[in-house]
Amino acid sequence: MKIERTQAWRTYVGGLIVVYTLIWLWLGISPLHRKDWILENVLVLAFGVGLWASRRVFVFSRVSYTLIFVFLCLHCIGSHYTYAMVPYDQWWEALTGHTFNSLFGWERNHFDRLVHFSYGLLLAYPLREIFLRVAEARGFWGYFFPLEFTLATSALYELIEWGAAEFFGGELGAAYLGTQGDIWDAHKDMALAGCGALLAMLITAAINRYLQRDFAREWSNSLKVKDSRPYGENEIKRMLDEREGA
């Protein structure tokens, strides 16, 4: 199926790509920890390849591309400094005369927490586009699946992070893991990603509730049983019967 891309869409998305590429190159020239920077960007490269490979069959809205762009820019900053050493406290102190952490009584660097929260907040809506347009999720499921996917991939990322830290070990493993001595770091990261996705879906639902006339009906219909037949062994028997009868 051919996807229509208007000139305005091409210009906008092309601009985002150019700006992000420049930021990525600039922050990749001299990162604080080169090996950690490479590790941090492996998944970004895979994500970019996936977007490019699917460009002929699936394109996002400008809203989604903007949200993806902002998240990737935050990741660029984190990978440049390593997440545990992003000097946001120094930047804030230079502007205001006092540190940002002192406002909340924090002792650790919380930039990684911001990015995990942003993962849910910024990427849940693009995920919703996928579930609506590919899986044809409707009503409740169009909001639940992005939240669930965010939590699942957050857990998967924490497992990848743990595995990489165990494999590489030493300074590189510690820099990539970035727990900063918090034994509950992985749990908090996943919780923040889930909270971000929940907030994004609540905002989306509120907007749709205001604009969509059949919002309540669609939500109600999505929770109705569509097929009353039990599956499991019954479905296996049906498929075996079809195979024998073919």
Side-chain angles (χ1 to χ4, degrees):
M1 181 180 66
K2 184 178 179 180
I3 298 175
E4 294 296 330
R5 301 177 177 89
T6 65
Q7 185 58 43
W9 183 94
R10 292 176 182 275
T11 301
Y12 184 80
V13 175
L16 291 180
I17 293 172
V18 170
V19 173
Y20 173 73
T21 301
L22 292 174
I23 293 173
W24 186 83
L25 290 173
W26 176 47
L27 293 176
I29 292 173
S30 183
L32 190 63
H33 196 304
R34 173 61 69 183
K35 291 182 179 179
D36 179 68
W37 180 86
I38 293 173
L39 275 179
E40 296 284 4
N41 280 278
V42 168
L43 291 179
V44 173
L45 178 62
F47 180 69
V49 170
L51 286 178
W52 182 84
S54 62
R55 72 193 187 284
R56 297 189 183 280
V57 295
F58 190 96
V59 296
F60 290 100
S61 65
R62 281 178 285 183
V63 170
S64 286
Y65 278 122
T66 302
L67 295 171
I68 293 170
F69 167 79
V70 173
F71 175 77
L72 291 179
C73 286
L74 289 172
H75 178 73
C76 271
I77 297 172
S79 62
H80 175 80
Y81 291 100
T82 76
Y83 276 90
M85 301 184 69
V86 175
Y88 66 84
D89 238 6
Q90 292 89 322
W91 297 338
W92 188 263
E93 187 174 16
L95 290 173
T96 66
H98 50 80
T99 65
F100 188 81
N101 277 8
S102 65
L103 297 175
F104 302 96
W106 294 340
E107 295 182 0
R108 80 187 298 278
N109 189 303
H110 280 280
F111 188 81
D112 62 327
R113 302 273 195 252
L114 169 66
V115 176
H116 280 283
F117 178 75
S118 298
Y119 175 71
L121 182 67
L122 298 175
L123 298 190
Y125 186 81
L127 287 171
R128 174 174 158 80
E129 278 206 52
I130 295 174
F131 281 113
L132 290 180
R133 295 165 53 195
V134 176
E136 296 186 342
R138 292 293 180 266
F140 168 80
W141 305 108
Y143 302 94
F144 175 75
F145 286 145
L147 170 60
E148 183 68 15
F149 189 87
T150 298
L151 288 169
T153 50
S154 293
L156 178 62
Y157 178 76
E158 295 299 332
L159 292 174
I160 292 172
E161 205 173 46
W162 165 58
E166 286 286 340
F167 179 80
F168 292 105
E171 183 185 354
L172 176 57
Y176 187 64
L177 198 59
T179 61
Q180 300 181 61
D182 187 351
I183 62 172
W184 303 111
D185 181 72
H187 304 76
K188 292 175 182 178
D189 289 346
M190 289 185 287
L192 283 168
C195 288
L198 177 61
L199 179 58
M201 290 299 95
L202 288 174
I203 293 172
T204 303
I207 294 173
N208 287 339
R209 178 68 182 85
Y210 177 74
L211 297 175
Q212 186 179 342
R213 292 184 177 181
D214 64 341
F215 179 86
R217 184 171 66 253
E218 182 183 86
W219 188 285
S220 176
N221 288 339
S222 71
L223 296 173
K224 292 180 179 178
V225 177
K226 309 301 188 299
D227 188 346
S228 60
R229 299 172 299 171
Y231 286 173
E233 69 280 3
N234 296 321
E235 187 67 6
I236 293 174
K237 182 179 183 304
R238 183 190 65 78
M239 289 188 288
L240 288 173
D241 291 341
E242 284 186 355
R243 185 175 182 180
E244 291 176 357

